[in-house]
């Protein structure tokens, strides 16, 4: 029901910044909760940040809180991840994910990858020391 395309990844030195974008298809973007996850080589996919449909609620992993900011522009069908003060340990492929809570009473924590139904292709972020 929705297709996601990430962009904005690249290489940056420690302490630098990047802004990732997640462009979603369709006209129902505002009905989806959005999340960002990342996966480093040899490691499991991990939660980074999430934002609810309206943008009024956000969640962050402890490892990025205070450095990363998730946002969305429903008029542009786009979610963002502003990454500041980047560290080498932030190096990973970053994935955008979406889930619609419509039709269910399930409470989404938005911190678990299995809660999301749609995923982008990922964008590489490399942070050098």
């Amino acid at each position: 029901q929705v297709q996601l395309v990430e962009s904005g990844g690249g290489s940056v030195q420690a302490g630098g910044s990047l802004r990732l974008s997640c462009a979603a298809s369709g006209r129902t973007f505002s009905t989806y909760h959005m999340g960002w996850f990342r996966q480093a080589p040899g490691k499991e996919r991990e939660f980074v940040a999430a934002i609810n449909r309206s943008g009024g609620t956000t969640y962050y992993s402890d490892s990025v809180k205070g450095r990363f900011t998730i946002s969305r522009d429903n008029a542009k069908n786009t979610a963002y991840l502003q990454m500041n003060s980047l560290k080498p340990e932030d190096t990973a492929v970053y994935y955008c994910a979406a889930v619609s809570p419509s039709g269910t009473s399930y409470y989404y924590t938005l911190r678990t990858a299995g809660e999301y139904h749609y995923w982008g292709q990922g964008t590489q972020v490399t942070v050098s020391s």
Side-chain angles (χ1 to χ4, degrees):
Q1 292 182 328
V2 63
Q3 294 178 328
L4 308 174
V5 179
E6 303 97 333
S7 62
S11 297
V12 65
Q13 284 194 317
S17 298
L18 286 173
R19 189 181 76 161
L20 306 184
S21 297
C22 175
S25 66
R27 298 188 298 115
T28 60
F29 178 71
S30 63
T31 70
Y32 289 85
H33 301 318
M34 303 296 296
W36 286 97
F37 291 77
R38 66 188 182 187
Q39 187 165 20
K43 293 191 174 183
E44 294 184 354
R45 181 177 47 188
E46 67 173 346
F47 169 74
V48 176
I51 188 167
N52 74 337
R53 292 175 293 174
S54 68
T57 304
T58 58
Y59 304 96
Y60 298 93
S61 68
D62 290 340
S63 62
V64 308
K65 190 174 181 63
R67 299 187 298 120
F68 292 9
T69 302
I70 188 171
S71 63
R72 66 191 297 159
D73 187 338
N74 286 347
K76 296 182 180 294
N77 280 19
T78 303
Y80 304 95
L81 184 68
Q82 178 66 47
M83 305 184 294
N84 298 327
S85 301
L86 283 162
K87 304 174 181 179
E89 51 263 45
D90 295 319
T91 295
V93 176
Y94 283 70
Y95 296 92
C96 177
V99 62
S100 175
S102 299
T104 179
S105 61
Y106 177 80
Y107 179 79
Y108 291 92
T109 71
L110 301 184
R111 302 174 184 270
T112 302
E115 292 182 332
Y116 293 85
H117 299 328
Y118 305 98
W119 294 83
Q121 84 289 348
T123 185
Q124 177 70 48
V125 171
T126 302
V127 184
S128 60
S129 61

